[in-house]
Amino acid sequence: MPKIFKKKDNKEAEEKASRARRVRFISRLRGMKDILPDEYKYWNLIIKKATELSRSYGFKRMDTPVLENLELYERSSGRSSDIVVKEMFSFIDKNGEKIALRPEATPGIIRSYIEHGMFNLPQPVKLFWLGPVFRHDKPQAGRFRQFSQFNLESIGDASPVADAELIAITYYFFRELQLEVMTQINSVGCASCRKEYLVKLENFYKERGRRTKLCNDCKKRLAKNPLRLLDCKEKQCQEIAADAPQIVDSLCEDCRNHFIKVLEYLDELNIPYNLNPTLVRGLDYYNRTVFEIWPSSAEATEGKPEEQSRQNALGGGGRYDGLVEYMGGRPTPACGFGIGIERVILKIKEKNIPLKDEEKGDLFLAHLGDPARRKIMVLFEELRKNGFKVRQAFTKDNLKSQLELANQAGVKYTLILGQKEIMDGTILIRDMESGIQEIVDYKKVVAEIEKRLGSPSKKI
Ligand code: HAM
């Protein structure tokens, strides 16, 4: 065999052996996302907006564990809800206990309210919650298996003002993020008026062979939870639902008055909404007001705006007056909402909304040589302690690459220290826009920077 072929054979064998030696890479799970540094500016913005609004409206932040007893969700979210039936990450732990990764925040918050005796506090107790939740959903655009929610819950207030306040907060949240949304609103009544309505609804579906045209899930829902037939995402079911009797026509007097008052407050606040008779929400605990925040149809992806918006709701919530008692607490009215943070970020990206880059600094410290590096490490800490946003590249040696990083950091000035400046007791201040450099006394550099940039706030 010619030498050349032998060489090739050896090379191939070597590559094969090297591939076999390489460790198999383990990628992330389906429907789970990494949040990379570039993405964090969106998270920071949303967390800041959510925190500011919650604080202004008197909601206090709290958190609950990621893992809870499985029964907590079976009892609250509902044994007929998709979340519990199809989407829960549940397992038996080493002690044989059935536990679940939280698929939503509300049940844990209510458990905590009861467990910590928050009913003894002045009511309502207004809580702000932000964190990851887990649903074994079919992953697709805007649908993940781990995603995060911003929740507000107002516990202990039955008045329609509480519902309107929450809807108003969601509206301001999206308005301040420059996203156009349309609030969809409906009332699902109370246990007594809903009973009558459900009879009407069942009769409607039994008439004219409508039942046979439903999707398989809806055929089952008809027996277990007929209300859910109204918000099925399947086209054939939506067409039938459009002609179904409307629950608002069956509301008892108290539920009707409550709903009218909520709408009146929204009108007063100039908050646009769409009365949506098929909106019922997918969780079992709601009564009276239910709402969802949809991207306005102009912003929904082209094609089927209504369907797209329904499937990609940015948030949803409503009243759940029976839940606290049902979970073992005293009878306590409550309402709340949850907003899906990843979906909000997708919308901000789609709209190309310019964001303030929090990583940007005021100043960059550059050095030439090891003695200068040591000195600016000390100076860096002094300037940082004084409240300046200082950037640096201590590990770099080359001045050109440091100045490039200074440009990327968008700073106004770069302080440059080299061997000569150390000997003279000076430092250079370079204006990054004009490129003009001035020599200043090293001892006066902090005062000099304050003169140019103003004194930064030292508040923590
Ligand atoms: P939810 O409608 O199930 O309500 O979820 C709230 C929001 O979470 C949705 O509107 C959506 O933006 C987001 N979301 C839901 N599923 C996914 C997913 N697979 N991937 C990405 N985002 C998703 C609740 O969870 C209720 N606990 C809200 C509430 C609070 N009601 C009263 N208080």
Side-chain angles (χ1 to χ4, degrees):
M1 191 186 287
K3 246 184 176 178
I4 185 159
F5 287 123
K6 217 171 194 172
K7 244 189 184 167
K8 193 175 161 225
D9 279 357
N10 281 345
K11 210 171 160 215
E12 269 175 15
E14 233 171 66
E15 264 174 21
K16 213 171 154 191
S18 138
R19 267 202 305 273
R21 273 197 306 272
R22 241 175 273 151
V23 178
R24 187 178 66 87
F25 172 69
I26 303 163
S27 57
R28 70 197 143 96
L29 294 175
R30 227 178 133 217
M32 306 277 174
K33 265 180 59 146
D34 297 312
I35 307 172
L36 301 180
D38 273 352
E39 180 116 346
Y40 245 97
K41 56 177 180 283
Y42 300 101
W43 285 84
N44 290 339
L45 172 74
I46 289 173
I47 294 168
K48 189 167 156 239
K49 273 273 157 272
T51 311
E52 275 169 14
L53 265 170
S54 306
R55 198 172 286 147
S56 302
Y57 280 88
F59 288 79
K60 296 208 172 116
R61 186 146 183 196
M62 61 100 63
D63 208 349
T64 55
V66 171
L67 288 174
E68 297 264 9
N69 205 309
L70 173 66
E71 207 192 334
L72 181 80
Y73 301 110
E74 288 177 340
R75 206 188 308 166
S76 55
S77 314
R79 281 179 216 270
S80 63
S81 68
D82 284 350
I83 289 184
V84 167
V85 177
K86 299 185 191 162
E87 297 167 5
M88 200 119 69
F89 279 91
S90 56
F91 56 97
I92 297 174
D93 77 357
K94 292 194 170 75
N95 297 334
E97 275 185 73
K98 286 185 188 163
I99 53 181
L101 285 175
R102 60 189 179 206
E104 56 152 336
T106 314
I109 297 172
I110 296 306
R111 176 204 45 72
S112 178
Y113 172 89
I114 301 168
E115 204 165 328
H116 296 281
M118 289 191 228
F119 41 80
N120 291 319
L121 300 173
Q123 305 290 300
V125 173
K126 295 166 91 179
L127 301 169
F128 159 35
W129 186 104
L130 202 151
V133 293
F134 305 82
R135 293 184 192 174
H136 204 279
D137 221 338
K138 259 191 225 132
Q140 51 187 278
R143 194 165 289 276
F144 309 106
R145 289 187 174 165
Q146 176 178 339
F147 60 98
S148 292
Q149 280 188 352
F150 153 39
N151 277 250
L152 291 187
E153 312 289 349
S154 180
I155 310 167
D157 195 327
S159 84
V161 196
D163 316 35
E165 182 186 51
L166 287 169
I167 296 171
I169 294 171
T170 62
Y171 178 71
Y172 303 141
F173 176 76
F174 288 107
R175 191 183 60 187
E176 285 167 30
L177 290 173
Q178 298 176 38
L179 294 175
E180 281 167 44
V181 295
M182 182 49 91
T183 302
Q184 309 290 318
I185 189 166
N186 194 18
S187 171
V188 290
C190 60
S192 70
C193 55
R194 202 179 311 157
K195 215 188 222 167
E196 256 176 57
Y197 173 71
L198 290 180
V199 175
K200 281 191 205 163
L201 194 64
E202 279 170 54
N203 289 339
F204 167 82
Y205 277 102
K206 280 177 197 156
E207 282 165 16
R208 298 195 210 154
R210 288 187 182 106
R211 195 186 168 280
T212 52
K213 292 183 195 139
L214 296 171
C215 73
N216 285 339
D217 277 348
C218 277
K219 281 181 187 143
K220 285 182 215 147
R221 283 180 188 133
L222 194 54
K224 281 191 194 156
N225 190 355
L227 209 56
R228 289 297 318 282
L229 289 164
L230 295 175
D231 78 343
C232 174
K233 317 282 189 262
E234 296 296 328
K235 197 164 174 261
Q236 74 265 33
C237 303
Q238 280 180 14
E239 277 169 8
I240 302 174
D243 296 326
Q246 300 193 355
I247 193 162
V248 280
D249 297 328
S250 301
L251 295 180
C252 63
E253 205 184 332
D254 284 350
C255 286
R256 186 175 310 119
N257 286 340
H258 184 98
F259 194 39
I260 289 171
K261 289 234 174 68
V262 175
L263 300 181
E264 280 173 358
Y265 285 119
L266 296 180
D267 290 338
E268 192 68 37
L269 293 166
N270 252 326
I271 291 172
Y273 55 83
N274 177 39
L275 289 173
N276 187 334
T278 61
L279 186 81
V280 292
R281 306 272 300 132
L283 297 153
D284 285 3
Y285 46 66
Y286 292 113
N287 69 304
R288 294 196 169 165
T289 320
V290 287
F291 59 93
E292 273 184 7
I293 300 103
W294 293 3
S296 70
S297 44
E299 284 193 10
T301 318
E302 271 178 40
K304 306 163 195 156
E306 156 91 17
E307 224 173 288
Q308 293 276 352
S309 300
R310 186 184 278 270
Q311 287 190 24
N312 288 311
L314 297 169
R319 187 158 272 290
Y320 50 95
D321 293 332
L323 186 61
V324 179
E325 189 181 9
Y326 196 58
M327 299 305 291
R330 301 173 186 170
T332 311
C335 51
F337 70 73
I339 288 177
I341 296 182
E342 286 78 359
R343 288 193 188 171
V344 180
I345 291 178
L346 279 173
K347 280 281 155 220
I348 296 176
K349 285 184 180 169
E350 255 174 47
K351 279 202 73 188
N352 271 328
I353 296 168
L355 297 193
K356 221 175 37 197
D357 192 346
E358 303 278 339
E359 303 298 318
K360 288 216 158 30
D362 305 323
L363 276 176
F364 193 94
L365 294 197
H367 61 278
L368 257 175
D370 204 43
R373 179 178 3 241
R374 288 162 204 242
K375 271 196 105 159
I376 65 144
M377 284 173 88
V378 178
L379 178 61
F380 176 88
E381 187 49 24
E382 192 180 344
L383 288 163
R384 193 195 65 79
K385 240 175 29 203
N386 273 285
F388 292 106
K389 286 192 198 161
V390 207
R391 304 290 176 256
Q392 47 79 17
F394 296 150
T395 57
K396 295 253 179 283
D397 293 321
N398 177 301
L399 184 62
K400 196 165 159 240
S401 59
Q402 290 183 66
L403 289 177
E404 266 167 27
L405 288 171
N407 261 329
Q408 280 167 24
V411 297
K412 214 161 165 349
Y413 299 104
T414 297
L415 300 179
I416 306 170
L417 191 71
Q419 199 62 34
K420 180 172 184 315
E421 287 74 28
I422 295 182
M423 305 252 284
D424 298 347
T426 59
I427 189 162
L428 295 179
I429 299 187
R430 181 187 174 97
D431 183 317
M432 294 303 284
E433 212 177 289
S434 64
I436 295 170
Q437 296 190 166
E438 279 175 62
I439 302 168
V440 298
D441 185 345
Y442 187 84
K443 288 196 205 88
K444 294 188 185 148
V445 67
V446 177
E448 194 60 42
I449 291 299
E450 270 187 14
K451 207 161 82 190
R452 289 165 198 244
L453 291 173
S455 305
S457 159
K458 285 186 197 160
K459 278 189 194 157
I460 52 165

